């Protein structure tokens, strides 16, 4: 690789963990050995059971989807965007790949030789810890301020792996404790009587060592150590100690890092405080077996709306406990988004089981907050249905089938707790269940003659996610949208004005604008006045900058900061504001068993009121950016 190209690649990598832990000279040495790979749309880099490569990969541009086979279905495990790292399995495992990596769009990848990178892992504890934590959890580094992802091939579902960050461990709180002079034979007898596979060696109730069944098998049964010797001759010392509030993920990481199978729990997490218990590998297995991620499997086995509602109720419990533990909202969103998508998918599947096989291929798209994977609370459902083009004489019967299917699916979702959309933006509506050609015409009309068609354009139709069916149908809609955005001044004029029409959150005196009448009189509409301007702003900006495949508002702002660095500060402030406002709404919704749209700011503490006001501040900068970027004239 030429020095100029190596320099450009180094400049790109330095903004992402773990490369930002390396010196510039080290990065140049690494980039000199990098291969640049152009991967065409829908082409695979590696597939399940392929032999491991001698490189791992960084996405330079485009998007890579990682998929696995689960219950005979291909499931999306993760989406990789510029800066994301994947294919790390060769670092930690010897067996073949357990997932498929396929280009979602034309992509450029950097292939980094593992043998070249290994010395820098050994020399840099931060790099090692980052890789270990990623492999242990198959998720984002929780300490990463900017949420850069490092994605491995340690296959666990997203929802399951994210919960490992905060899921508490149940551990043995009555461990066998012995002194260093106790004979090996006596310790073995006590462990057997108490059905324990370990014993903590203590002094003044402080841990100084630990022994396990493995120590007895490898050191005593083999004859290397006499059974009458003191236990100190075979104990592992010093003991790896942790505090009792450790999560599953943290325990996994520490065991992996230290190469141990047991951790000693103490009052302050050090070996200089009293023993409270022992965490074993078995405890981790049990914890993961009951992990909330198992809800995804329960959904696949569900046979009725009642079954699915029970799963959704469990999700509510997860969300509530996560908020109480102050878990980042990005993780809660990830869990809720994946489980909600699975619920929608199963509702469609149950409808098909009832009606029989579909007469044509189709796609069910969740739109709005479900499409953005921002629906933490039980708010309303929004969806559209696209079926492939059929002969004219079949059209009526085919549409009739899909309307019946949609009504069954939306009815199931309503029974789960997702109310019908007040604007009737649902696949069960004749207007939003139609053929691909009709949908292309619909989007063409919306985008080229906004405000002139009978069905006024609604921005929710530009936030969608495939819940069930044919990916190619969704791709065609995406291609239609981005073909129409090119030089489309009128469309952005419409969207820009729509984004700025939302009522102001604060009045001239910087007081909250509260509802003046009706059921919610005296309350603050956090959805309409605070969240929607950010959602609308993020949408119009990603469309204008041709950013595809990112629907989530928080992630849209993060990507905008990369693509449009001149205004990065505005975008990053908006991203953090969106999380803050979303958390206020979620807490309100959980507390009052509502949608959380209307919050009682009079009950807020002074600090919370200031925090809420501070989260509203970035909206002004975003509004100015929209005004400067687009010609807002005709629809003003």
């Amino acid at each position: 690789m030429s020095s100029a190209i190596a320099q450009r690649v180094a400049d790109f990598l330095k903004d992402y963990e773990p490369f930002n832990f390396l010196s510039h000279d080290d990065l140049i040495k690494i980039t000199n050995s990098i291969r640049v790979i152009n991967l065409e749309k829908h082409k695979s880099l590696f597939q399940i059971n392929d032999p491991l490569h001698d490189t791992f990969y960084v996405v330079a541009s485009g998007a890579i989807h990682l998929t696995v086979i689960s219950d005979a279905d291909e499931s999306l495990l993760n989406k990789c965007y510029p800066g994301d790292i994947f294919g790390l399995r060769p670092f930690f495992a010897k067996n073949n790949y357990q997932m498929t990596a396929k280009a979602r769009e034309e992509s450029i990848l950097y292939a980094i030789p593992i043998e070249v990178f290994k010395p820098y892992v050994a020399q840099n504890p931060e790099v090692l810890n980052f890789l270990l934590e990623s492999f242990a959890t198959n998720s984002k580094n929780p300490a990463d301020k900017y949420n850069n992802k490092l994605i491995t091939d340690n296959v666990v579902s997203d929802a399951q792996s994210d919960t490992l960050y905060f899921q508490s461990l149940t551990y043995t709180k009555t461990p066998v404790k012995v002194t260093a002079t106790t004979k090996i034979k006596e310790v073995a007898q006590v462990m057997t009587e108490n059905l324990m596979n370990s014993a903590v060696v203590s002094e003044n109730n402080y841990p100084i060592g630990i022994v396990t069944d493995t120590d007895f098998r490898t050191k005593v049964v083999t004859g290397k150590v006499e059974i009458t010797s003191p236990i100190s001759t075979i104990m592992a010392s010093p003991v790896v100690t942790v505090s009792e509030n450790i999560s599953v993920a943290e325990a996994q990481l520490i065991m992996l890092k230290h190469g141990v199978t047991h951790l000693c729990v103490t009052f302050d997490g050090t070996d200089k405080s009293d023993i409270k218990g022992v965490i074993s590998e078995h405890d981790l297995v049990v914890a993961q077996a009951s992990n909330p991620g198992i809800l995804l499997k329960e959904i696949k086995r569900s046979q009725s709306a009642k079954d699915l509602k029970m799963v959704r109720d469990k999700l509510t419990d997860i969300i509530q406990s996560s908020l109480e533990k102050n878990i980042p909202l990005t993780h809660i969103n990830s869990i809720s988004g994946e489980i909600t998508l699975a619920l929608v998918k199963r509702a469609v599947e149950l409808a098909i089981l009832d009606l029989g096989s579909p007469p044509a291929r189709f796609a069910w798209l969740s739109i709005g907050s479900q499409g953005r994977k921002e629906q933490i609370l039980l708010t309303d459902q929004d969806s559209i249905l696209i079926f492939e083009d059929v002969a004219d004489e079949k059209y009526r019967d085919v549409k009739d089938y899909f309307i019946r299917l949609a009504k069954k699916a939306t009815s199931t979702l309503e029974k789960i707790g997702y109310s019908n959309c007040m604007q009737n933006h649902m696949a069960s509506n004749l207007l939003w269940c139609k053929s691909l050609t009709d949908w292309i015409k619909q989007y063409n009309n919306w985008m080229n003659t906004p405000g002139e068609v009978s069905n006024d354009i609604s921005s929710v139709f530009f936030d969608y996610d495939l819940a069930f069916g044919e990916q190619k149908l969704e791709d065609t809609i995406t291609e239609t949208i981005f073909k129409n955005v090119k030089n489309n001044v009128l469309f952005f004029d419409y969207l820009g004005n729509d984004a700025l029409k939302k009522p102001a959150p604060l009045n001239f005196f910087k007081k909250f604008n509260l509802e003046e009448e009706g059921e919610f009189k005296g309350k603050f509409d956090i959805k309409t006045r605070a969240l929607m301007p950010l959602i609308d702003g993020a949408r119009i900006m990603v469309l204008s900058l041709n950013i595809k495949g990112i629907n989530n508002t928080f992630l849209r702002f993060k990507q905008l900061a990369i693509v449009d660095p001149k205004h990065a500060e505005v975008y990053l402030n908006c991203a953090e504001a969106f999380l803050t406002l979303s958390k206020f709404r979620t807490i309100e919704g959980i507390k009052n068993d509502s949608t959380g749209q209307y919050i009682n700011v009079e009950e807020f503490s002074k600090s919370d009121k200031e925090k809420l006001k501070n989260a509203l501040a970035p909206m002004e900068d975003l509004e100015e950016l929209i005004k400067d970027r687009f010609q807002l004239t005709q629809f003003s």
Side-chain angles (χ1 to χ4, degrees), residues 431-445:
L431 291 173
W432 314 131
C433 174
K434 48 195 174 188
S435 70
L436 179 60
T437 293
D438 286 345
W439 271 113
I440 292 172
K441 290 178 181 177
Q442 180 72 74
Y443 277 95
N444 286 339
N445 287 335

Side-chain angles (χ1 to χ4, degrees), residues 278-483:
V278 170
I279 297 172
S280 68
E281 276 189 326
H282 176 72
D283 296 326
L284 293 185
V285 172
V286 171
Q288 292 183 61
S290 59
N291 187 280
I294 209 70
L295 296 184
L296 293 173
K297 291 187 177 180
E298 289 186 23
I299 290 170
K300 289 187 175 183
R301 293 194 294 265
S302 295
Q303 296 298 318
S304 66
K306 183 179 179 181
D307 294 340
L308 294 173
K309 187 179 186 305
M310 290 175 63
V311 175
R312 186 53 181 81
D313 290 343
K314 292 178 184 178
L315 174 60
T316 300
D317 294 338
I318 293 172
I319 293 168
Q320 186 165 4
S321 65
S322 303
L323 290 169
E324 290 170 355
K325 294 177 182 178
N326 205 29
I327 301 306
L329 201 69
T330 50
H331 294 315
I332 302 174
N333 248 332
S334 175
I335 297 161
S336 181
E338 291 301 325
I339 293 178
T340 299
L341 194 67
L343 288 168
V344 174
K345 180 180 180 181
R346 189 56 182 164
V348 177
E349 289 174 341
L350 291 176
I352 292 173
L353 288 172
D354 191 24
L355 292 175
S357 299
R361 288 176 292 185
F362 75 102
W364 181 291
L365 303 188
S366 291
I367 62 173
S369 60
Q370 281 186 347
R372 295 189 302 270
K373 290 189 176 177
E374 294 167 0
Q375 191 181 36
I376 298 178
L377 299 168
L378 272 169
T379 54
D380 63 355
Q381 53 174 304
D382 300 273
S383 58
I384 65 174
L385 191 148
I386 309 164
F387 55 87
E388 66 179 347
D389 293 327
V390 295
D392 290 344
E393 63 270 19
K394 294 182 179 180
Y395 187 93
R396 184 172 178 176
D397 289 340
V398 170
K399 181 163 183 171
D400 178 66
Y401 169 91
F402 284 118
I403 287 292
R404 287 186 288 124
L405 179 145
K407 286 182 177 179
K408 286 183 176 293
T410 54
S411 174
T412 296
L413 291 170
E414 186 179 17
K415 291 173 183 175
I416 294 171
Y418 299 104
S419 60
N420 290 332
C421 173
M422 292 181 65
Q423 289 76 36
N424 206 14
H425 292 150
M426 299 191 300
S428 53
N429 184 339
L430 286 169
L431 291 173
W432 314 131
C433 174
K434 48 195 174 188
S435 70
L436 179 60
T437 293
D438 286 345
W439 271 113
I440 292 172
K441 290 178 181 177
Q442 180 72 74
Y443 277 95
N444 286 339
N445 287 335
W446 275 337
M447 300 182 72
N448 295 318
T449 56
E452 295 181 15
V453 291
S454 57
N455 300 324
D456 286 344
I457 183 173
S458 176
S459 56
V460 297
F461 290 96
F462 293 85
D463 300 334
Y464 51 82
D465 195 21
L466 181 68
F468 186 94
E470 295 292 319
Q471 180 69 55
K472 289 182 179 180
L473 295 175
E474 182 199 23
D475 291 344
T476 302
I477 295 299
T478 301
E479 291 168 6
T480 300
I481 291 172
F482 281 93
K483 181 181 69 175

Side-chain angles (χ1 to χ4, degrees), residues 12-13 16-17 19 56-60 62-64 66 78-87 108-110 140 147-151 559:
F12 173 84
L13 293 177
Y16 299 95
E17 290 200 39
F19 304 106
F56 67 97
Y57 302 94
V58 182
V59 181
I64 302 295
L66 304 179
N78 224 318
K79 301 176 182 179
C80 308
Y81 299 107
D84 290 349
I85 304 174
F86 67 98
I108 297 176
L109 311 175
Y110 296 143
K140 304 180 185 79
N147 286 307
N148 296 331
K149 293 179 287 182
L150 196 154
I151 303 163
Q559 188 64 22

